[in-house]
Amino acid sequence: MCATTRRREMDIGLIGLGKMGGNMRERLRRGGHTVVGYDRNPDLADVDSLADLVAALPSPKVVWVMVPAGAATQQTINELGELLGEGDVVVDGGNSRWTDDLEHAEQLAARGIGFVDCGVSGGVWGLENGYALMYGGDPEHVAKVQPVFDTLKPEGDFGSVHAGKVGAGHFSKMVHNGIEYAIMQSYAEGWELLEKVDMVENVTEVLRSWREGTVIRSWLLDLLVAALDDQPNLEGIRGYAEDSGEGRWTVEAGIEHAVATPAITAALYARFVSRQDDSPAMKAVAAMRNQFGGHAMQTSAPKGGDAPSAGRTDPEQSETARQAGSGAESSPAES
């Protein structure tokens, strides 16, 4: 994106100021934008209500929603539909299923309000590194949000894409997360195999050596090494990993379109198995999820006992539990 485009400034409303939403507000303000934020936690909010947020914005108004997928997003869309007017635009930057986007776009269009869906990846690192953005919607609606996309994205030529029609952004992010499942599972299984044999004496250094020059180098590999540096052999981590929804949706979409997704499906099923047995490979998956997204890890529990959380608290999950409703943070996702 050219420098002149990146310098364009605008006013935007942001709903949901948990870990990711709060960091996005800060990145936008650093980029020169005026951000009016609302959250059900008054300590985080700039205004007291959605009505105050909308009133504070010049027209045409752009409001970005970062709340949990499902009921909380639907409630927020309903309220914004009553508060906004013709020519305004709503962006859903949470983890909504793409089929919900189609319904929300139709609902808002009846009142002349545009809708853009945006898959966001970047986790706890997005404030400094930028967020990868995949968005869908009509070009005229996307154009009204473009200065914000340009500021949130990473530096350089990539990391942001108008993926297509409404729903394309969240569909693309869903597939992204499905691929992520499979990549993490492969690294985790490889780590477990290296640990199993006596002849490999420094597993962490083997993985570290792969970070340069090999065809399997990646940021996820970097994060696995970082996790092993923090906790050698991943001792104390329970081999348990949640799935955030997008993996299931990817497998379901593959079935619907007759596209085989065996690697993604196997990775999803491995997470299901992890909830029954303490899987060594799933310790690595849990550690990587914690590294990129701050997702909670569980400690190994004694027999007959429940495992408490360990490591960083899942920022999205804790916000959701504390602020259930339209002002909560986006629902947990991979990245």
Side-chain angles (χ1 to χ4, degrees):
M1 192 65 60
C2 67
T4 55
T5 300
R6 291 184 64 84
R7 283 198 296 266
R8 289 171 55 200
E9 300 170 2
M10 62 177 284
D11 294 73
I12 186 169
L14 182 59
I15 303 171
L17 301 171
K19 189 65 175 181
M20 182 173 279
N23 282 345
M24 290 171 65
R25 175 175 61 175
E26 177 62 23
R27 185 172 175 89
L28 289 171
R29 285 177 173 171
R30 291 180 186 179
H33 302 289
T34 299
V35 183
V36 181
Y38 172 72
D39 194 282
R40 290 185 58 163
N41 179 354
D43 294 335
L44 302 176
D46 301 316
V47 293
D48 295 329
S49 67
L50 290 186
D52 290 344
L53 179 145
V54 170
L57 297 173
S59 295
K61 303 174 191 291
V62 176
V63 179
W64 188 300
V65 179
M66 287 295 290
V67 304
T73 294
Q74 185 63 64
Q75 178 185 343
T76 306
I77 295 292
N78 291 345
E79 293 184 41
L80 290 175
E82 297 296 324
L83 293 169
L84 297 173
E86 187 169 353
D88 296 338
V89 175
V90 172
V91 182
D92 180 3
N95 298 309
S96 296
R97 191 166 184 168
W98 66 275
T99 50
D100 292 343
D101 296 328
L102 305 181
E103 297 176 4
H104 294 156
E106 183 177 0
Q107 175 184 347
L108 294 173
R111 303 183 66 90
I113 303 168
F115 178 83
V116 175
D117 64 287
C118 184
V120 181
S121 181
V124 297
W125 304 90
L127 174 59
E128 299 300 331
N129 297 341
Y131 300 89
L133 307 171
M134 295 143 269
Y135 38 93
D138 293 343
E140 63 177 302
H141 300 149
V142 169
K144 293 179 181 179
V145 194
Q146 194 65 55
V148 166
F149 292 146
D150 292 338
T151 301
L152 288 175
K153 70 177 288 292
E155 294 295 329
D157 296 331
F158 307 111
S160 177
V161 61
H162 183 184
K165 303 174 183 178
V166 166
H170 282 144
F171 191 93
S172 299
K173 178 59 164 49
M174 175 191 76
V175 174
H176 165 281
N177 282 19
I179 293 170
E180 184 181 291
Y181 274 47
I183 294 173
M184 287 199 293
Q185 187 65 28
S186 294
Y187 283 137
E189 291 171 6
W191 168 79
E192 181 180 353
L193 182 57
L194 287 167
E195 285 282 359
K196 199 75 172 180
V197 300
D198 293 335
M199 72 188 80
V200 181
E201 297 177 347
N202 198 331
V203 173
T204 299
E205 292 308 313
V206 170
L207 295 173
R208 196 188 314 277
S209 75
W210 293 351
R211 294 174 61 188
E212 297 290 345
T214 73
V215 297
I216 62 168
R217 62 189 183 273
S218 75
W219 188 44
L220 285 173
L221 177 61
D222 295 343
L223 295 177
L224 176 56
V225 172
L228 289 165
D229 284 339
D230 290 343
Q231 293 175 276
N233 304 312
L234 304 181
E235 65 273 5
I237 299 175
R238 184 183 176 197
Y240 178 105
E242 291 284 1
D243 68 287
S244 57
E246 291 94 335
R248 299 187 189 206
W249 300 342
T250 304
V251 172
E252 290 170 2
I255 293 171
E256 180 182 356
H257 295 282
V259 174
T261 58
I264 295 171
T265 303
L268 174 64
Y269 281 20
R271 296 196 183 187
F272 296 164
V273 172
S274 80
R275 296 163 204 177
Q276 301 169 9
D277 302 300
D278 193 24
S279 162
M282 208 54 60
K283 293 182 180 184
V285 171
M288 282 184 278
R289 294 179 83 242
N290 179 261
Q291 285 286 323
F292 67 67
H295 300 286
M297 297 183 294
Q298 295 192 7
T299 57
S300 298
K303 289 185 178 180
D306 292 331
S309 294
R312 289 188 299 223
T313 300
D314 185 331
E316 297 166 328
Q317 202 167 54
S318 60
E319 280 297 319
T320 300
R322 187 168 58 84
Q323 303 177 25
S326 64
E329 174 60 84
S330 175
S331 58
E334 290 305 297
S335 161

